[in-house]
Amino acid sequence: MEEPSDNRQKKVVAVVGGGLVGALNACFFAKRGLDVEVFESREDIRQAKVVKGRSINLALSHRGRQALKHVGMEEKIVSQGIPMHARMIHSLNGKQSPIPYGKKSQYILSVDRANLNKQLLTGKSTVVILQSTETWSINIERFYTVNGTKEHIQADLIVGCDGAFSAIRKQFLRRSRFNYSQTYIPHGYMELTMPPINGEFAMKPNYLHIWPRNTFMMIALPNLDKTFTCTLFMPFDEFEKITTGDQVIEFFQKCFPDSIPLIGADALREDYFRLPAQAMVSVKCSPYHIGDKCVLMGDAAHAVVPFYGQGMNAVSTGFGLGGKGY
Ligand SMILES: Cc1cc2nc3c(=O)[nH]c(=O)nc-3n(C[C@H](O)[C@H](O)[C@H](O)COP(=O)(O)OP(=O)(O)OC[C@H]3O[C@@H](n4cnc5c(N)ncnc54)[C@H](O)[C@@H]3O)c2cc1C
Ligand SMILES: *[C@@H]1O[C@H](CO)[C@@H](O)[C@H](O)[C@H]1NC(C)=O
Ligand SMILES: *[C@@H]1O[C@H](CO)[C@@H](O)[C@H](O)[C@H]1NC(C)=O
């Protein structure tokens, strides 16, 4: 592979994937005075009206805030987040009991994923949005092809932030002594919306609401538009047992009766079938880098599931913003 001629002043970093980790990384590299180019294969989130992808909101903890602080984004994001001072446990009989996250002044934040991603991308980096019709592949040997045409990446470093199914990581797989494992947990997740009631939050807003139920659970995080996004985590077997609207109501009556009037029985009947339950994968690999040429970060390097047998603790500890890559 011939190297691109190098008469540039600044080091150039190519970040593959403009999700949370890629976008934040781009801010860090730009802050260090490097030229950054972000390659993103989804449509431009900064212009999109409807943003597809996983989880509508996220719990942002102290650790994630520290990362944002370093790139001067903490205040901006925090001001658009909703503090959650405690978990609010919903028992079967409808009783609600708070369990604080820490001292009185401590809290985690519910933030809008799409907005956070947008704000992080609106930094100093150049974002190359690939067209959905283009077949794109990127090679760690520093070239990429779009529609079969080969172009050199004028980059000193390639940073693979392309998520749990990373294309960059695929190229590590062929290398000797690269360990890799991927495991799907038996649980899936489904998001349901709890609308405002008379223009107000249907439940107390400054809590991460949790309905713990043995092998499954539901959580709800508040949004700025006064809705809650409820996420039901449950084994796929259980999801698949429910095939009619009546069965949905029956199931909620058995497990989350207090949520039915809040979500609305009619909405529940429909929303449950809007999208199939989504899978959750855990990915581990080692090493994370190839010399000083290429490094994997975020879910590409280590994807963890938000809920893994530890029940509410996994979520309630607020594992930070992409809490591992950085
Ligand atoms: C249900 C659920 C709830 C969660 N809740 C929380 C939470 O409350 N708090 C928290 O901190 N974390 C949470 N997480 C985890 C969090 O979502 C991830 O850790 C985080 O999104 C990882 O960011 P990332 O940038 O590495 O990957 P992603 O967010 O997956 O971004 C990858 C980006 O790369 C792009 N891409 C993919 N392939 C290519 C390619 N070949 N070329 C170019 N671009 C490409 C994608 O379009 C995407 O924009 C949750 C996860 C799930 C599933
Ligand atoms: C790749 O092909 C698609 C579909 O034919 C086209 O829309 C796109 O502009 C092409 N991209 C480049 C960079 O040639
Ligand atoms: C790969 O896994 C084996 C077995 O656990 C371990 O001995 C080895 O050090 C690992 N290699 C790397 C590069 O992590």
Side-chain angles (χ1 to χ4, degrees), residues 124-144:
K124 293 193 190 75
S125 49
T126 316
V127 183
V128 180
I129 300 295
L130 300 147
Q131 305 305 309
S132 54
T133 46
E134 287 169 348
T135 48
W136 135 267
S137 75
I138 182 161
N139 193 292
I140 47 180
E141 306 297 339
R142 295 182 193 175
F143 64 83
Y144 65 101

Side-chain angles (χ1 to χ4, degrees), residues 197-235:
I197 294 178
N198 301 325
E200 277 309 317
F201 281 105
M203 304 183 293
K204 289 186 176 162
N206 297 111
Y207 294 91
L208 193 157
H209 292 263
I210 307 183
W211 291 256
R213 301 290 181 262
N214 293 325
T215 60
F216 54 91
M217 69 167 176
M218 185 160 78
I219 63 169
L221 274 72
N223 299 308
L224 284 180
D225 64 1
K226 306 212 164 152
T227 60
F228 277 93
T229 301
C230 306
T231 310
L232 174 58
F233 294 94
M234 184 160 83

Side-chain angles (χ1 to χ4, degrees), residues 10-305:
K10 278 181 164 181
K11 293 273 185 198
V12 181
V13 179
V15 173
V16 180
L20 296 179
V21 173
L24 179 65
N25 259 323
C27 295
F28 270 105
F29 288 124
K31 193 184 156 197
R32 291 185 63 168
L34 304 165
D35 269 342
V36 192
E37 228 173 88
V38 180
F39 294 84
E40 170 55 51
S41 59
R42 260 196 318 230
E43 69 173 320
D44 194 339
I45 196 168
R46 294 165 301 176
Q47 274 133 44
K49 292 209 179 66
V50 187
V51 178
K52 282 176 272 179
R54 54 205 197 174
S55 88
I56 290 155
N57 51 28
L58 290 161
L60 176 66
S61 69
H62 180 73
R63 190 164 167 195
R65 281 180 68 159
Q66 290 308 106
L68 293 172
K69 189 188 222 160
H70 283 293
V71 295
M73 300 279 293
E74 188 188 15
E75 285 320 310
K76 199 164 187 183
I77 299 302
V78 168
S79 68
Q80 294 164 342
I82 302 176
M84 299 183 289
H85 296 280
R87 314 155 184 95
M88 184 64 90
I89 307 296
H90 293 242
S91 356
L92 210 47
N93 64 11
K95 189 171 169 259
Q96 298 185 23
S97 0
I99 304 178
Y101 280 111
K103 298 193 198 93
K104 255 214 166 93
S105 59
Q106 292 176 321
Y107 57 88
I108 59 172
L109 286 154
S110 174
V111 299
D112 181 297
R113 177 191 289 264
N115 180 54
L116 174 59
N117 205 155
K118 258 182 231 180
Q119 305 269 5
L120 285 173
L121 272 187
T122 315
K124 293 193 190 75
S125 49
T126 316
V127 183
V128 180
I129 300 295
L130 300 147
Q131 305 305 309
S132 54
T133 46
E134 287 169 348
T135 48
W136 135 267
S137 75
I138 182 161
N139 193 292
I140 47 180
E141 306 297 339
R142 295 182 193 175
F143 64 83
Y144 65 101
T145 52
V146 177
N147 295 349
T149 307
K150 195 162 167 181
E151 305 202 31
H152 279 285
I153 285 194
Q154 299 280 312
D156 301 285
L157 173 67
I158 295 173
V159 186
C161 302
D162 48 348
F165 302 99
S166 172
I168 297 287
R169 191 183 59 227
K170 255 182 218 140
Q171 299 176 52
F172 281 55
L173 290 181
R174 301 196 208 107
R175 301 178 68 93
S176 166
R177 299 176 63 198
F178 177 70
N179 288 342
Y180 171 70
S181 79
Q182 166 181 320
T183 311
Y184 280 94
I185 55 164
H187 288 70
Y189 73 93
M190 178 180 283
E191 294 184 316
L192 300 162
T193 302
M194 183 182 287
I197 294 178
N198 301 325
E200 277 309 317
F201 281 105
M203 304 183 293
K204 289 186 176 162
N206 297 111
Y207 294 91
L208 193 157
H209 292 263
I210 307 183
W211 291 256
R213 301 290 181 262
N214 293 325
T215 60
F216 54 91
M217 69 167 176
M218 185 160 78
I219 63 169
L221 274 72
N223 299 308
L224 284 180
D225 64 1
K226 306 212 164 152
T227 60
F228 277 93
T229 301
C230 306
T231 310
L232 174 58
F233 294 94
M234 184 160 83
F236 274 100
D237 302 356
E238 302 289 333
F239 273 116
E240 284 153 12
K241 274 186 205 156
I242 299 169
T243 57
T244 67
D246 285 349
Q247 285 170 347
V248 176
I249 301 299
E250 216 173 284
F251 169 72
F252 270 73
Q253 229 134 35
K254 198 175 118 211
C255 300
F256 316 111
D258 61 330
S259 75
I260 300 177
L262 306 179
I263 298 174
D266 291 341
L268 204 48
R269 280 167 191 275
E270 283 183 18
D271 290 357
Y272 187 92
F273 300 103
R274 212 177 285 276
L275 284 172
Q278 305 291 302
M280 284 174 284
V281 71
S282 129
V283 172
K284 285 183 202 156
C285 69
S286 170
Y288 300 125
H289 66 99
I290 297 175
D292 58 0
K293 270 168 108 174
C294 182
V295 63
L296 302 173
M297 290 185 82
D299 278 11
H302 187 190
V304 289
V305 295

